[in-house]
């Protein structure tokens, strides 16, 4: 059996972040009595977008973490990347409430990680073939 502790931990943590983002939506829905759609409420729209943005980025990053860990093993740098990604996604969630730094930091921590993992995943077979 293959054990991927980074991928397992990151995926579990991502599920908790996703739940937290949905809980924040529910808080606004309850406070504003909006049960379908966004009701034209800017705060609810922003929180819904924060969760959807998470749902757009998290799956591919989690898949990249898992396939890289499966191919190259468990390494400290991959733990760090996973943690930074999850922290960045939480900052982005706060940022969508109007905290500009959180939104900028969230994307600044997400985009390079996704691009870096993608490039590394593409490079692994080539590097293996070249015996580097």
């Amino acid at each position: 059996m293959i054990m991927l502790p980074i991928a397992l931990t990151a995926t579990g943590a991502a599920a908790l972040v996703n739940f937290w983002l949905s809980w924040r939506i529910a808080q606004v829905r309850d406070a504003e009595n909006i049960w379908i759609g966004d009701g034209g409420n800017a705060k609810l729209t922003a929180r819904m977008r924060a969760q959807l943005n998470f749902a757009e980025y998290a799956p591919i990053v989690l898949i990249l973490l898992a396939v890289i860990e499966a191919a190259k093993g468990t390494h400290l740098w991959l733990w760090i990347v996973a943690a930074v990604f999850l922290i960045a996604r939480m900052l982005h969630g706060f940022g969508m409430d109007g905290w500009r730094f959180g939104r900028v930091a969230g994307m600044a921590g997400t985009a390079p990680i996704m691009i870096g993992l993608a490039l590394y995943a593409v490079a692994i077979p080539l590097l293996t073939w070249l015996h580097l």
Side-chain angles (χ1 to χ4, degrees):
M1 176 162 83
I2 297 174
M3 173 68 88
L4 302 173
I6 299 170
L8 285 167
T9 304
T11 302
L16 294 174
V17 171
N18 189 55
F19 178 79
W20 170 71
L21 290 167
S22 70
W23 180 261
R24 290 166 39 86
I25 292 167
Q27 289 176 318
V28 176
R29 285 191 183 285
D30 186 50
E32 301 295 327
N33 202 28
I34 302 169
W35 304 111
I36 303 293
D38 63 16
N41 183 295
K43 186 173 185 175
L44 180 56
T45 300
R47 287 191 177 186
M48 290 169 69
R49 277 300 310 152
Q51 186 185 32
L52 182 55
N53 191 270
F54 180 81
E56 293 165 348
Y57 283 100
I60 192 66
V61 171
L62 293 170
I63 290 167
L64 286 165
L65 285 169
V67 297
I68 290 169
E69 185 177 13
K72 299 304 280 181
T74 303
H75 298 284
L76 177 61
W77 70 269
L78 205 52
W79 280 109
I80 294 167
V81 166
V84 169
F85 172 73
L86 292 165
I87 291 167
R89 293 288 72 206
M90 291 178 70
L91 287 172
H92 184 265
F94 286 123
M96 290 298 285
D97 277 348
W99 183 40
R100 182 171 169 79
F101 172 80
R103 190 169 183 191
V104 172
M107 283 311 299
T110 298
I113 285 173
M114 186 171 73
I115 293 167
L117 288 173
L119 292 173
Y120 188 52
V122 169
I124 289 171
L126 178 63
L127 296 172
T128 301
W129 181 69
L130 295 173
H131 305 291
L132 296 178

